Amino acid sequence: MATRPKLRSFQDIQSSFAAYIRDPDRQAMPPGIEKRRVQIYADLVYNNIESFIAKTFPVFREITDDGSWHAMVRDFIREHRAESPYFSQISEEFMQYLDERMKRPDARESPQLPPFVLELCHYEWVEMALDLAPDADCEFDDEAIHPDDELALSPLAWPLRYAYPVRRIASDYQPTEPPDTPTWLIGWRNRHDRVRFMTSNAATIRLLKLIDEGVSASRALELLAKEINASPERVAETGLATLNRLHGHDIVVRR
C-alpha cells in the first residue's frame, strides 16, 4: 500500500508565507504558490507600511537618502515585533524600533541614524497622535480668565521639551550636538479640530504643569514667582496675560 504524503500544517504554511512577505530577499518562497502571486502580497505589505511611515515622518524621510531609508524600513518589517495590530499605531512601533536600533551593537554601522532622530520623529508623530485623539471631555469658552478661576490643561494640549531644535531640522540643517537651550513647544488640537504648535519657554511650561496638577491660577503664579525669583506682581501680570492667551487658543480650559 502506498504511503500518503504528510500534509504540512496550516501553521507551517502561514509561517513560511509571513516570513517571505517580511523578508523576500532572504527567505525561501513558500512551496506550492506561484511566485507572482506571493510577490503581490509582499509588495503590498511593504509599500503600505513604507508609505504610512513616510507620511507620518516627512522630515525624517526628506533628510534620509533612498537606499538608507528603504533598508531601514525593510529592517523594521523584518526584525521588529509589533505589540499592536492597529495600522494607525505603526508609527509608534517604528519609533520603538528606532529606539531599540540605536541601542543595538551594530548601531554605528551604516546607515547611521542622526542623534536627533528620536526627538524629530516624536515631534512629527505628535501631529498625527493629536489628530487621532478622542475628543476632549471639556468645554471651550471665550470668557476672560481671572486669577481665582479653577483651570485645567486641555487633554488635547501637550507641553513638549526637546534637546534639539526639532522644528528647524531640514535637509540643510542637521545638528550633531544639542544646543545649550532646549526647545519648548506646545502641541494642541483646538475646538475646530485643527492641530497646531507654538514655541514656548520653561516658565510657561512650568505654569501649565502646575495648572495640570490642580493648582489655582493665582497660587500657580505665586509658586512660579518664587521658583524663578521674580517679582510676584510682575509674574501675576504677565502670567495672567499668558493664561488668557493660552485660553484663547483652547490650551487652557476651565474645570
Side-chain angles (χ1 to χ4, degrees):
M1 179 182 294
T3 303
R4 297 181 61 186
K6 184 178 180 180
L7 297 178
R8 298 178 66 207
S9 69
F10 172 74
Q11 288 84 358
D12 288 342
I13 297 173
Q14 188 179 50
S15 178
S16 62
F17 184 75
Y20 182 82
I21 287 177
R22 284 197 303 270
D23 191 13
D25 296 330
R26 302 184 186 182
Q27 296 293 326
M29 272 281 300
I33 307 177
E34 183 185 354
K35 181 176 181 178
R36 180 184 62 85
R37 296 176 181 272
V38 181
Q39 194 61 48
I40 290 174
Y41 284 103
D43 291 343
L44 281 173
V45 168
Y46 180 85
N47 291 335
N48 281 332
I49 292 176
E50 188 277 332
S51 175
F52 189 83
I53 295 173
K55 289 178 181 177
T56 305
F57 309 110
V59 177
F60 183 34
R61 175 64 185 98
E62 178 188 354
I63 66 175
T64 307
D65 66 86
D66 289 347
S68 298
W69 174 262
H70 289 292
M72 181 168 48
V73 174
R74 177 58 69 192
D75 187 59
F76 166 67
I77 295 173
R78 179 178 60 244
E79 301 294 339
H80 184 71
R81 294 298 176 262
E83 297 293 332
S84 170
Y86 296 107
F87 199 78
S88 61
Q89 294 182 359
I90 287 177
S91 53
E92 293 178 63
E93 296 287 350
F94 185 69
M95 288 193 297
Q96 182 181 338
Y97 157 79
L98 291 176
D99 185 40
E100 294 170 349
R101 175 176 172 149
M102 294 185 77
K103 299 173 183 176
R104 277 163 35 179
D106 62 347
R108 294 184 177 275
E109 297 180 7
S110 181
Q112 187 173 353
L113 296 172
F116 54 76
V117 64
L118 294 179
E119 291 195 341
L120 173 63
C121 286
H122 183 272
Y123 166 63
E124 297 198 281
W125 166 81
V126 166
E127 182 173 4
M128 183 201 72
L130 283 172
D131 189 53
L132 296 178
D135 290 341
D137 185 19
C138 63
E139 295 292 333
F140 299 112
D141 66 75
D142 298 314
E143 295 183 15
I145 294 291
H146 300 286
D148 295 329
D149 287 345
E150 297 294 325
L151 305 176
L153 182 65
S154 166
L156 298 176
W158 298 356
L160 305 166
R161 180 192 184 279
Y162 298 109
Y164 287 89
V166 290
R167 301 191 83 181
R168 294 175 52 201
I169 292 174
S171 56
D172 58 351
Y173 177 69
Q174 299 178 46
T176 57
E177 297 289 340
D180 295 334
T181 304
T183 292
W184 301 94
L185 302 172
I186 302 173
W188 80 101
R189 195 176 87 204
N190 63 23
R191 70 184 77 182
H192 306 296
D193 289 328
R194 295 188 180 95
V195 176
R196 295 287 186 263
F197 290 89
M198 72 164 59
T199 302
S200 189
N201 54 62
T204 299
I205 297 299
R206 175 58 178 158
L207 179 59
L208 289 179
K209 186 176 188 301
L210 291 169
I211 294 297
D212 194 40
E213 292 172 353
V215 180
S216 68
S218 57
R219 180 57 178 161
L221 293 171
E222 289 177 9
L223 292 173
L224 182 62
K226 290 181 180 179
E227 291 179 6
I228 65 177
N229 193 25
S231 164
E233 294 78 13
R234 179 61 176 167
V235 171
E237 179 183 355
T238 59
L240 187 61
T242 297
L243 287 174
N244 271 290
R245 179 170 59 88
L246 297 176
H247 177 63
H249 285 298
D250 299 334
I251 295 171
V252 170
V253 297
R254 286 184 171 83
R255 282 195 279 157

